[in-house]
Amino acid sequence: MLKFTEEHEWLQIEGGVATVGITTYAVEQLGDLVFVELPEVGATFSKNANAATVESVKAASDVYCPLDGEITEVNPAIVADPSLVNSDPQGAGWFFKLKLANAADADGLLDEAAYKELTA
C-alpha cells in the first residue's frame, strides 16, 4: 500500500512496517541534496515529529515521521551518497523503516491520486 503525506513523504506499507522517503515532487523542489541526517534505530516518534533532515544546495528541510512508530532500519547509502535520493527518491533513496504503532492510522493519509491533486 502506497500512501503520501501533505508534507511530501511517501510510505510503502507492508505487514505493519512502512518504508518512508520523500517524494519526487519534494526532491524537485529541494534540488541537489548534499547532506542527509537519519534517525537512530530504536527511536520512537509521534506523527509529524521531525525524524530526519536533508540539506540541498537551496535549503535545509525536515523530514517528518508520517505516523506514530519505532525506527527499525535506516538507509546508510543515502548518508554516504545523498544524490541517491535525487536519482531514485521512491526507490533506492528511501530514508527509514517504521514499525507502525497502529497500521490503521495509514487510512488517514493521502492516496496517490489525492497526492497528485495536491501537487498539481
Side-chain angles (χ1 to χ4, degrees), residues 10 13 16-17 20 23 26 34 44 84 102 104 108 112:
W10 60 266
I13 303 169
V17 175
V20 180
T23 65
V34 294
T44 57
L84 275 175
N102 183 358
E112 196 161 1

Side-chain angles (χ1 to χ4, degrees), residues 102-119:
N102 183 358
D105 290 346
D107 294 342
L109 299 175
L110 303 172
D111 62 17
E112 196 161 1
Y115 184 73
K116 283 183 177 174
E117 214 171 276
L118 175 75
T119 58

Side-chain angles (χ1 to χ4, degrees), residues 33-87:
L33 296 186
V34 294
F35 175 79
V36 176
E37 182 179 80
L38 296 173
E40 295 289 321
V41 170
T44 57
F45 290 96
S46 297
K47 180 179 179 176
N48 296 328
N50 177 8
T53 304
V54 293
E55 289 182 20
S56 71
V57 292
K58 292 181 182 178
S61 186
D62 294 329
V63 177
Y64 300 101
C65 194
L67 295 170
D68 297 348
E70 178 184 348
I71 305 297
T72 60
E73 188 178 341
V74 296
N75 184 358
I78 65 170
V79 174
D81 183 6
S83 70
L84 275 175
V85 179
N86 291 100
S87 62

